Amino acid sequence: MHSTGIALAVLFLIALGLMYRRDCKALRAERGKLFDACLALFDHHRLTQDAAAWPVLVGGYDGYEVHIAPLVDDVTFRKVPSLWLLVTVKRELPMRGAVDLLARAQNTEFYSPADSLPVRVVTPQEWPGQTTIKADRPAAELPLSVLDPHVRRFFGDPRAKEMLVTRHGVRMVYQAQGADRGEYLVLRRAVFRQATLPATLVESLLDQAVQVCADVIRGGVHGQA
């Protein structure tokens, strides 16, 4: 009787292991489709995906090197998690330091460098409200006038979260999707159903980041017009 119980327990554990592997494989396949609709946008690309994690794309777009990474933000209690899209366009820019613009800051943005930047810059009145500006130098040394139209356009979208401009390029953070509310409230699981990025969205974010780079380059050493 004792040996029968042990055998049943072993079989149960094996079944659990097989179910776990099956679920992980299915989750990996589902998440692996994230970029399927927008791959044609890139001159070349490479996708990497660790286990059942979200895939990361590195490629070329309009002559720029780009890096696009999804990131799940579930650190804020009682808030439905978000799937953020970190879109980075790499280009050496003629500016010193870094400036970070963050919308609706809650001090839980672990992906943002804002907390490490020592200078708080006053937000221009014409810019969208609830935008926090942090930098590593005074406003006079930042390309704020060049960034003005881009800030108004990007943060005019309520899903826009962050714009980071450094001498190495531009990164934009955008909410690609919110988690399934019912699933999260009941089971506290961040489930993103059928998460596939529309080509129009990815193209728009890339074009905006590329244009920021181009305008800062045209603006000169401090990015001033």
Side-chain angles (χ1 to χ4, degrees), residues 21-189:
R21 290 181 59 184
R22 181 200 62 192
D23 291 346
C24 285
K25 185 177 180 179
L27 183 60
R28 174 184 171 85
E30 181 180 353
R31 290 179 172 180
K33 299 176 183 178
L34 183 69
F35 293 102
D36 282 2
C38 59
L39 293 179
L41 295 173
F42 303 95
D43 306 324
H44 58 87
H45 69 272
R46 178 170 57 88
L47 290 172
T48 58
Q49 186 178 13
D50 295 332
W54 293 93
V56 174
L57 184 147
V58 175
Y61 180 83
D62 197 23
Y64 289 78
E65 180 184 354
V66 302
H67 181 278
I68 306 179
L71 183 149
V72 175
D73 178 4
D74 56 1
V75 300
T76 304
F77 186 64
R78 293 186 182 280
K79 182 179 179 182
V80 175
S82 290
L83 179 65
W84 298 112
L85 200 62
L86 280 61
V87 178
T88 303
V89 170
K90 299 182 180 181
R91 176 61 60 93
E92 292 301 312
L93 302 179
M95 62 174 284
R96 304 184 184 96
V99 56
D100 182 81
L101 300 95
L102 187 64
R104 303 170 300 279
Q106 298 180 356
N107 298 319
T108 59
E109 291 86 2
F110 58 91
Y111 48 83
S112 171
D115 285 345
S116 64
L117 297 173
V119 180
R120 174 72 179 266
V121 178
V122 176
T123 304
Q125 291 185 350
E126 301 81 6
W127 286 13
Q130 295 184 310
T131 304
T132 302
I133 307 176
K134 297 291 293 293
D136 60 356
R137 59 200 61 237
E141 299 180 31
L142 300 172
L144 298 185
S145 63
V146 171
L147 295 179
D148 178 75
H150 304 290
V151 170
R152 296 187 193 215
R153 178 187 176 190
F154 181 59
F155 289 105
D157 186 332
R159 295 168 69 183
K161 183 62 176 177
E162 182 180 39
M163 180 189 296
L164 173 66
V165 184
T166 76
R167 61 188 179 90
H168 299 300
V170 174
R171 187 184 79 180
M172 291 180 163
V173 180
Y174 187 89
Q175 186 189 39
Q177 188 176 343
D180 183 279
R181 184 176 181 83
E183 189 94 20
Y184 180 72
L185 293 178
V186 175
L187 300 176
R188 284 291 185 254
R189 292 198 308 170

